[in-house]
Amino acid sequence: MAASWPTSMRPILTVTVNPALDVSTSIDEVTNDQKLRCGPTRLDPGGGGVNVARVVQRLGGQALAVYAVGGPTGEAYRQLIEAERVPAVAVPIAGSTRESFTVDESSTDKQYRFVLQGPELSEAEWRACLAAVEEAIPAAGYVVASGSLPPGVPHDFYARVASLARARDARCLVDASGPALAEALAEGVFLVKPSRRELAEHMGAPLDSEQSQVEAASALVAQGSAEFVALSLGAAGAVLASSTGILRLPVPRVRVRSTVGAGDSFVGAFVLRMAQGHEPDSAFRSAVAAGTATTMTPGTELCHRDDVERLEAELAALADRTAQSV
Ligand SMILES: Nc1ncnc2c1ncn2[C@@H]1O[C@H](COP(=O)(O)OP(=O)(O)OP(=O)(O)O)[C@@H](O)[C@H]1O
Ligand SMILES: [Mg+2]
């Protein structure tokens, strides 16, 4: 791979086979056996890869989103994507795009998240998604495969995406869990971003100490499963393992309103900064900043660019102070 990067941005493609029309609202109190009259409704085109593309766009970049879509919810979904002017390739499917429902309970600050399974894809449909990805993969660019796989899609779908990316010398980032994550790791990817729970499930160990977390992430790098393992730890920040060692970051102090989309924002900022030619440590700070900035917004709303830039600067100042004190 070339040692120096061009000044222009490398292209980014994101893949979403199970997008969700995110419906979010708020209510004073959630109770059973009576009508719950909710506040205003917000609709967002959600789902891993599409959210990543939206975050890239919010931060001033651009990513092409390939996504499967169908039915009346799919039509609404498509319109929302168009309204946000996210460049996209919609692959039609017979089933209806799922909805996800998030309710913020204002009296307690609790959040209820109902995530539906999604429509079943036929073999012809998931192969059409893969063909759309193959056609659009940017040579020497970045490919982000993110989110759950709906029924009908084989567990090795992201591994297949990773293999197509490799054939074009593109770097593949995968945010998945369970068998989809395992298959992608077996194929070998540029980066995976498991949460603690996802990595613990994969390793078959609780990973409840910092040492065990670092060891697990480093083991995947040592095995050649991923060049980078970004282990995100919610309010405890994140760990980045690579062949050059381990980086750890705490989260900046903010008022947390909703963590929906934090993981996607993390991946979106990381891939954008890498595509812009930043070093991995700088991309990692942006990722933590964007994840945390997304927690400052209510419901399914993603991060705001000014919050991300302020938190990036805070984390960079922290890194400078730490460097001076050692
Ligand atoms: N409670 C929090 N306070 C501050 N920052 C947070 C919090 N939760 C998440 N973040 C930020 O977002 C990043 C990703 O969050 P997290 O580890 O929860 O990802 P995830 O489990 O993949 O989330 P998702 O539910 O979106 O899949 C964290 O590394 C951190 O920067
Ligand atoms: Mg996640």
Side-chain angles (χ1 to χ4, degrees), residues 77-91:
Y77 190 94
R78 199 198 290 260
Q79 283 173 18
L80 289 167
I81 296 271
E82 276 169 20
E84 290 197 21
R85 298 185 188 284
V86 176
V89 176
V91 180

Side-chain angles (χ1 to χ4, degrees), residues 113 193 195 232-235 237-238 251 256 259 261-264 266 288 291-292 295:
R113 291 168 75 174
K193 193 224 67 68
S195 61
S232 69
L233 301 165
V251 295
V256 175
T259 63
D264 298 333
F266 183 106
V288 170
T292 299
T295 70

Side-chain angles (χ1 to χ4, degrees), residues 124-186:
E125 287 170 341
W126 66 256
R127 285 196 186 277
C129 292
L130 214 51
V133 169
E134 182 169 19
E135 190 165 320
I137 282 184
Y142 287 85
V143 179
V144 181
S146 171
S148 61
L149 298 178
V153 176
H155 295 324
D156 69 353
F157 186 83
Y158 289 157
R160 289 171 189 246
V161 170
S163 158
L164 292 174
R166 177 168 313 114
R168 297 273 174 83
D169 200 18
R171 292 168 155 181
C172 185
L173 293 80
V174 174
D175 184 357
S177 57
L181 172 64
E183 298 267 4
L185 286 167

Side-chain angles (χ1 to χ4, degrees), residues 294-313:
T294 290
T295 70
M296 298 166 65
T297 60
T300 47
E301 200 179 331
L302 297 170
C303 50
H304 296 172
R305 184 173 179 169
D306 52 346
D307 290 329
V308 177
E309 289 173 354
R310 181 170 53 77
L311 299 181
E312 273 177 327

Side-chain angles (χ1 to χ4, degrees), residues 46-136:
V50 166
N51 269 345
V52 168
R54 292 168 71 214
V55 168
V56 165
Q57 176 139 327
R58 274 162 179 252
L59 299 184
Q62 203 173 63
L64 175 69
V66 172
Y67 67 101
V69 74
T73 31
E75 199 39 53
Y77 190 94
R78 199 198 290 260
Q79 283 173 18
L80 289 167
I81 296 271
E82 276 169 20
E84 290 197 21
R85 298 185 188 284
V86 176
V89 176
V91 180
I93 59 167
S96 202
T97 297
R98 65 183 170 149
E99 285 169 276
S100 286
F101 187 48
T102 302
V103 181
D104 288 334
E105 190 184 49
S106 19
S107 59
T108 59
D109 270 351
K110 280 187 188 156
Q111 187 176 63
Y112 296 85
R113 291 168 75 174
F114 299 87
V115 177
L116 303 179
Q117 197 180 41
E120 178 156 354
L121 266 62
S122 67
E123 179 170 350
E125 287 170 341
W126 66 256
R127 285 196 186 277
C129 292
L130 214 51
V133 169
E134 182 169 19
E135 190 165 320

